[in-house]
Amino acid sequence: MKSRPVVLSLSMMGVAALLAVRAASAADVQVMISSGFYGVYSELAPAFERASGHHLVTTRGPSMGDSPEAIPARLARGEAADVVILDGGAADELGRRGLVRADSKTALARSLIGMVVREGAAKPDIGSVDAFRSALLAAKSIAYSDSGSGTYLSTKLFAKLGVADQIAGKSRKVRGPPSGEPVAAVVARGEAEIGFQQVSELIHVPGITFVGTIPAEVQPVFSFAGALTSTVRQPEAAGALIRFLASPEAAPIILKAGLAPPSER
């Protein structure tokens, strides 16, 4: 975790947020988190630990998908967690399945899907839906994530654009952390010509050029949220963590990560 930015972020935390954190007794808090919000979490987590005395035990995994490391799969097989931080839609589904407390869901950030190419490569035009469709057909190879953004692209958008069959043979799903890697890393090595993932998971990977977000007309509504699990053992400490991450003073860290605060219009 990056210590210097965390020190700065601690100074930005509001008094009310810190008091809410201090209200709980020190505890080990089991956190399951997906990659899209992990950059923000990794900066703010040490500040939370110092302010509260709590210790965060972190497990990473995709918000959804068929990976055994996916958060829904981990919860379904009984892995311990107090709080989950993941795609908002996935949190809703976990609530319907009784794996998280639906009434505890708290919005943390909004997110967009972006596209990258290898550093030095030409940037395709994706400024309109027609241009985006042409870029998909022209690309020699395409990579997308095994979580929320990739699920949307591969099961909905490619078919909606009428290109699913044409690009199936040149597309690949990339398994993400903890055992995998960001889509951008595959593009940086030249193993895919273009790659798609949440912007926050693309922009800090070396060796790539960020092309932009996919057109607004086909951009899904993605968000990240925190929620208490139905088996939470440390509800006060877990709730304090969610409030800490959702505080308005966290907005600069959220923006730096390539996300937007949930209240931003």
Side-chain angles (χ1 to χ4, degrees), residues 1 21-22 24-32 41 44-59 80-83 233-241:
M1 294 183 181
V21 170
R22 291 182 187 278
S25 300
D28 286 345
V29 182
Q30 303 282 340
V31 181
M32 287 188 185
Y41 171 82
L44 295 181
F48 173 83
E49 290 178 320
R50 287 196 300 273
S52 66
H54 299 316
H55 176 235
L56 301 178
V57 182
T58 306
T59 301
D82 294 300
V83 58
R233 296 177 182 176
Q234 303 292 345
E236 291 187 4
L241 172 63

Side-chain angles (χ1 to χ4, degrees), residues 54-151:
H54 299 316
H55 176 235
L56 301 178
V57 182
T58 306
T59 301
R60 299 180 64 183
S63 294
M64 59 184 74
D66 58 4
S67 168
E69 296 173 337
I71 291 172
R74 290 182 183 276
L75 293 178
R77 61 176 177 258
E79 289 192 29
D82 294 300
V83 58
V84 293
I85 300 170
L86 73 172
D87 171 78
D92 291 336
E93 176 61 24
L94 292 177
R96 287 189 286 270
R97 294 171 59 186
L99 294 173
V100 305
R101 298 182 181 179
D103 60 355
S104 72
K105 179 188 171 187
T106 301
L108 301 176
R110 295 181 294 111
S111 180
L112 300 175
I113 298 176
M115 187 179 106
V116 295
V117 295
R118 192 177 190 183
E119 188 174 25
K123 294 169 62 174
D125 176 15
I126 59 169
S128 67
V129 173
D130 286 342
F132 177 55
R133 183 179 185 278
S134 296
L136 290 170
L137 293 172
K140 296 178 181 178
S141 52
I142 300 168
Y144 54 84
S145 81
D146 67 344
S147 192
S149 60
T151 299

Side-chain angles (χ1 to χ4, degrees), residues 188-202:
R189 290 197 301 269
E191 296 173 14
E193 185 175 330
I194 60 176
F196 299 94
Q197 202 162 13
Q198 310 271 4
V199 172
S200 60
E201 299 174 71
L202 294 173

